[in-house]
């Protein structure tokens, strides 16, 4: 099973989300868990033994500018990873959009009226 966690920032929120990865790995020991995060926090995410890969993603590239090509390359890579589940732990429209763009078999997150 392949799982992607989407929690882009901020640092304190990422730290609070770390137990989710650990709990998932405990429940699904054969799962591969990747984490999509702001490039500034990849080193922190890599400290979690349950996480196989910390994937840098700058959401500002979704809007426009010279980061757009890099952003779309990451989205294409995510789609090619064939995740079984994508978990949006942020609850923002931005993170929900990225979670959907990842193209997992199932996207799990906040209900629409709980998004910020």
């Amino acid at each position: 099973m392949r799982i992607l966690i989407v929690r882009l920032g901020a640092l304190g929120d990422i730290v609070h989300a770390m137990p989710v990865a650990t709990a998932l790995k405990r429940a699904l020991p054969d799962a591969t868990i990747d984490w999509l995060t702001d490039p500034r926090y990849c080193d922190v995410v890599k400290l979690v033994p349950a996480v196989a890969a910390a994937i840098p993603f700058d959401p500002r590239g979704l809007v426009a500018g010279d980061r757009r090509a890099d952003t779309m390359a990451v989205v294409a890579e995510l789609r090619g990873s064939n995740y079984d589940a994508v978990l949006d732990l942020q609850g923002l429209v931005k993170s929900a959009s990225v979670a959907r763009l990842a193209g997992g078999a199932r996207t799990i997150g906040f209900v629409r009226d709980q998004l910020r």
Side-chain angles (χ1 to χ4, degrees):
M1 173 170 250
R2 294 186 50 82
I3 300 170
L4 177 67
I5 293 174
V6 178
R7 185 66 177 118
L8 303 172
L11 180 57
D13 294 335
I14 287 174
V15 170
H16 282 107
M18 288 176 169
V20 172
T22 303
L24 282 169
K25 191 65 172 179
R26 188 175 300 131
L28 303 164
D30 294 331
T32 299
I33 301 170
D34 296 338
W35 192 313
L36 189 72
T37 189
D38 188 296
R40 297 174 292 178
Y41 306 124
C42 280
D43 287 340
V44 174
V45 169
K46 288 177 185 176
L47 295 173
V48 182
V51 175
I55 303 167
F57 182 78
D58 188 348
R60 293 171 289 274
L62 284 173
V63 180
D66 47 334
R67 295 184 187 135
R68 186 169 174 82
D70 292 338
T71 300
M72 298 319 287
V74 171
V75 169
E77 181 182 327
L78 293 173
R79 293 185 74 78
S81 294
N82 298 316
Y83 289 105
D84 297 295
V86 179
L87 280 69
D88 171 18
L89 300 182
Q90 193 154 356
L92 297 175
V93 171
K94 169 177 57 177
S95 61
S97 299
V98 173
R100 286 281 182 198
L101 286 172
R106 182 166 188 180
T107 303
I108 303 164
F110 293 83
V111 293
R112 192 174 306 234
D113 40 323
Q114 295 294 320
L115 293 174
R116 296 179 277 132

